[in-house]
Amino acid sequence: MKELFVFDTTLRDGAQAPGISFSINDKLKIVSLLDDLGVDFIEAGNPSGAPKDAELFARLQKRSFRAKICAFTACCKVGHNPDSDASVTAALEAGTEYVSVVGKASVFIVRNILKTTSAENLRIISETIKFFISQKRKVIFDAEHFFDGYKYDPEYSLKAVETAFFAGAEAVTLCDTNGGSLPAEIGAAAKDVCSRHPGKIIGIHCHNDLGLATSGSLAALEAGARQLQCTLLGLGERCGNANISTLLPILKYKLGYSARCTEDLSELTAVSRRVADIANVAFDERQPFVGSCAFTHKAGMHIDALQKLPESSELFDPSIFGNIRHISIGELSGRSALLLKVRELEPSITRDSPEINILLEKIKHFEKRGYFYENADASLKLLIYDTLGRRRNFFELLNFKLVLSEPGQGLPAVAMIKIAVDGAEETTAAEGNGPVNAMDNALRKALARFYPELDKMKLIDYKVRVLNSDAATEATVRVLIESGDGEKTWTTVGVSTDIMEASWKALMDSVEYMLIAEQ
């Protein structure tokens, strides 16, 4: 096994992604998640960049972690010494054992951005690193714009790396700062650096502007680099950084690398989803290994093969990464796909069981009306329960009324509802930010005394699709509602020519599905 050190920069470089703003508590949660995941280094932020980062480091000093916490800073300013540079001293005051220092490794950038000489740039690299070492800190040097610099003037870029090591840096990270280098270019340059510094730790930091952050990172590691810089979800400036959840499985199972965080990858999916929640971004279900699409099967031929030989359609057992297999039911699915779905709920069902034919006919019937179960697994399971005779009537709707204000008034929608549960009636009303939210609030409020577990449920997403737009206002609409309870999510579907009726059907399914799941 080849040794690998994983350096996560979600809280520094990842926080620079468009639309991302982590609070101090957010960052503390992510530090804990990363530490549990087993990364070697956590770059927690730039203490001089924002007051909340300085406060974060103060709070981190009071806690212990297996991972090494890093503070980030740039080299001291041109013409200055590090002991008088505010950014440098802020990183020192962060109190971390390790400091990551970024400096220019391209003479083109030195001349045109720093507006200084090549010699002065090497001086501030050397002096900044030496200063931190004199203060009992360990330094990881980020060679910014290294690959562009290597193409422009390789000797200067190599000299920047040499200067950092000579000054005492424990590792030097080669940065593809603008994400414009091809994997072959990264591999060749990294191989050159590694051959010049045998035994030293060389790292790789890739951006995804060409969609090649994963490939570039792998090229550098195969060339001899031993430290991987990456972020959760691939968060980062512009198109993002190399994604930790994509790289770790490849490195372990395809290339034979060993790191603390590759020992057990069973929390990879949960950590990725949790960080998406904390960052308040939509989780990309098409991510390899951790997305729901990664182990979703739709074509009947593939599903049939999956039952006979799983590795024919799946590279790995999804449970290795804390993920699960999904069988998608749609127009391309056959009896094999449906059988797998039914067996999740009733293992005794066989291919020749009459319930399978009944269910197939029901699905065809509803799909003709506009239903689509591929993205509404919860509604499909309710249909299966119904076919098996195991669908329970949790409540009866006695009366329902929806009151909408005149557009432009800014007043909330109001839903009034009367339901019965085992003969006991409940009447209530609730406001909402729009009619669907009002219906959701009213229904759960009415059911609260009968089913208190519904308090955990919340509506996460709501989508509407017009199925026959040529019918204008008489068109049929399909509504998808995604709900969750803080641990899992599920999606239900409703179809009608009335958007409120379609929404109500999807909402009823969502509530019923949670009640079944809680039993």
Side-chain angles (χ1 to χ4, degrees):
M1 299 291 280
K2 293 169 278 191
E3 185 181 39
L4 175 70
F5 301 101
V6 177
F7 183 109
D8 184 274
T9 181
T10 301
L11 298 178
R12 201 273 303 172
D13 219 353
Q16 295 173 181
I20 298 296
S21 180
F22 294 125
S23 68
I24 292 175
N25 285 335
D26 289 340
K27 288 197 167 193
L28 288 170
K29 292 174 185 175
I30 292 173
V31 168
S32 294
L33 288 169
L34 286 167
D35 194 46
D36 290 341
L37 192 61
V39 302
D40 300 288
F41 299 91
I42 301 172
E43 191 172 52
N46 183 351
S48 68
K52 65 181 179 183
D53 272 4
E55 183 180 342
L56 171 68
F57 281 103
R59 293 173 66 172
L60 289 174
Q61 287 184 43
K62 300 174 183 178
R63 301 169 61 181
S64 61
F65 302 94
R66 293 184 301 164
K68 303 295 184 183
I69 306 297
C70 291
F72 172 87
T73 184
C75 291
C76 64
K77 293 181 177 64
V78 171
H80 292 72
N81 293 320
D83 57 359
S84 60
D85 186 284
S87 177
V88 172
T89 54
L92 182 66
E93 291 168 0
T96 57
E97 179 184 358
Y98 279 81
V99 177
S100 52
V101 176
V102 65
K104 310 300 183 188
S106 165
V107 72
F108 181 84
I109 296 296
V110 169
R111 292 169 182 166
N112 292 280
I113 302 297
L114 287 188
K115 303 291 186 182
T116 190
T117 65
S118 56
E120 172 62 7
N121 180 60
L122 295 177
R123 182 195 71 83
I124 62 175
I125 290 174
S126 178
E127 293 300 319
T128 303
I129 294 172
K130 287 179 179 178
F131 171 75
F132 279 114
I133 291 173
S134 72
Q135 301 299 312
K136 311 301 182 186
R137 301 293 191 268
K138 298 173 183 176
V139 175
I140 295 171
F141 179 69
D142 287 351
E144 191 178 33
H145 290 283
F146 174 82
F147 294 101
D148 286 335
Y150 186 87
K151 284 178 272 188
Y152 182 82
D153 183 344
E155 289 307 314
Y156 186 79
S157 297
L158 292 167
K159 185 66 174 177
V161 172
E162 180 183 286
T163 299
F165 275 131
F166 189 77
E170 291 211 347
V172 172
T173 304
L174 311 180
C175 301
D176 186 27
T177 304
N178 65 10
S181 298
L182 297 173
E185 296 171 328
I186 290 175
K191 184 176 181 180
D192 190 7
V193 173
C194 292
S195 67
R196 292 168 185 259
H197 301 280
K200 296 290 187 180
I201 298 175
I202 306 298
I204 180 64
H205 176 112
C206 286
H207 282 263
N208 205 38
D209 297 72
L210 295 179
L212 297 172
T214 296
S215 299
S217 299
L218 294 174
L221 293 169
E222 286 290 88
R226 291 192 289 150
Q227 185 189 88
L228 170 67
Q229 287 202 7
C230 47
T231 64
L232 289 161
L233 308 179
L235 293 176
E237 222 164 1
R238 305 182 310 279
C239 299
N241 289 42
N243 190 339
I244 190 172
S245 66
T246 301
L247 279 160
L248 292 186
I250 295 172
L251 289 166
K252 178 176 181 177
Y253 292 107
K254 289 294 185 178
L255 298 175
Y257 281 84
S258 174
R260 268 199 323 128
C261 56
T262 62
E263 293 174 4
D264 181 4
L265 297 176
S266 62
E267 293 299 314
L268 199 58
T269 298
V271 168
S272 299
R273 291 186 177 277
R274 179 68 178 125
V275 170
D277 287 341
I278 294 171
N280 196 29
V281 297
F283 186 80
D284 182 3
E285 299 293 355
R286 295 188 179 276
Q287 288 187 83
F289 308 110
V290 298
S292 63
C293 294
F295 299 98
T296 292
H297 305 273
K298 180 177 178 180
M301 184 185 301
H302 292 170
I303 294 166
D304 183 61
L306 182 70
Q307 294 180 79
K308 298 170 182 174
L309 188 68
E311 55 266 36
S312 66
S313 298
E314 287 179 344
L315 292 173
F316 304 99
D317 180 340
S319 65
I320 293 173
F321 315 111
N323 208 340
I324 57 175
R325 178 183 297 152
H326 298 271
I327 302 301
S328 181
I329 302 299
E331 69 275 14
L332 298 179
S333 306
R335 186 179 295 267
S336 294
L338 193 58
L339 182 61
L340 283 177
K341 275 292 182 187
V342 175
R343 279 179 170 171
E344 290 177 7
L345 306 178
E346 180 50 67
S348 66
I349 295 292
T350 68
R351 178 181 289 270
D352 299 321
S353 296
E355 291 88 349
I356 295 296
N357 288 328
I358 294 170
L359 188 56
L360 280 169
E361 291 304 313
K362 283 185 177 180
I363 291 173
K364 290 177 183 178
H365 168 73
F366 283 113
E367 284 190 344
K368 284 181 181 178
R369 293 172 53 190
Y371 280 82
F372 185 60
Y373 293 104
E374 181 175 338
N375 297 319
D377 196 58
S379 286
L380 176 62
K381 287 184 177 178
L382 290 176
L383 190 62
I384 294 172
Y385 275 120
D386 185 63
T387 304
L388 296 175
R390 290 166 49 185
R391 187 165 180 173
R392 175 185 165 189
N393 185 18
F394 287 92
F395 62 93
E396 180 183 0
L397 178 65
L398 302 177
N399 199 0
F400 175 82
K401 186 175 183 180
L402 186 64
V403 180
L404 302 178
S405 302
E406 184 179 332
Q409 291 186 345
L411 297 175
V414 178
M416 292 169 281
I417 190 170
K418 182 177 182 180
I419 56 102
V421 177
D422 297 331
E425 296 183 358
E426 180 72 22
T427 303
T428 190
E431 294 181 340
N433 183 20
V436 177
N437 184 232
M439 289 192 296
D440 179 36
N441 291 339
L443 179 59
R444 290 191 292 115
K445 184 178 179 181
L447 293 171
R449 75 183 177 100
F450 304 104
Y451 306 110
E453 59 267 35
L454 289 175
D455 185 56
K456 298 183 295 182
M457 177 181 161
K458 67 175 181 178
L459 191 152
I460 297 174
D461 199 8
Y462 174 83
K463 296 184 179 75
V464 179
R465 181 178 177 185
V466 178
L467 299 181
N468 51 333
S469 56
D470 56 328
T473 55
E474 295 182 356
T476 299
V477 296
R478 179 194 296 139
V479 170
L480 288 172
I481 289 180
E482 182 183 1
S483 305
D485 61 4
E487 295 181 2
K488 59 184 180 298
T489 62
W490 58 93
T491 303
T492 51
V493 61
V495 175
S496 174
T497 54
D498 182 337
I499 190 172
M500 289 299 103
E501 182 181 15
S503 301
W504 176 253
K505 289 177 178 178
L507 186 61
M508 292 264 284
D509 272 9
S510 181
V511 170
E512 185 177 347
Y513 180 78
M514 180 175 179
L515 292 175
I516 287 177
E518 288 290 316
Q519 290 184 333

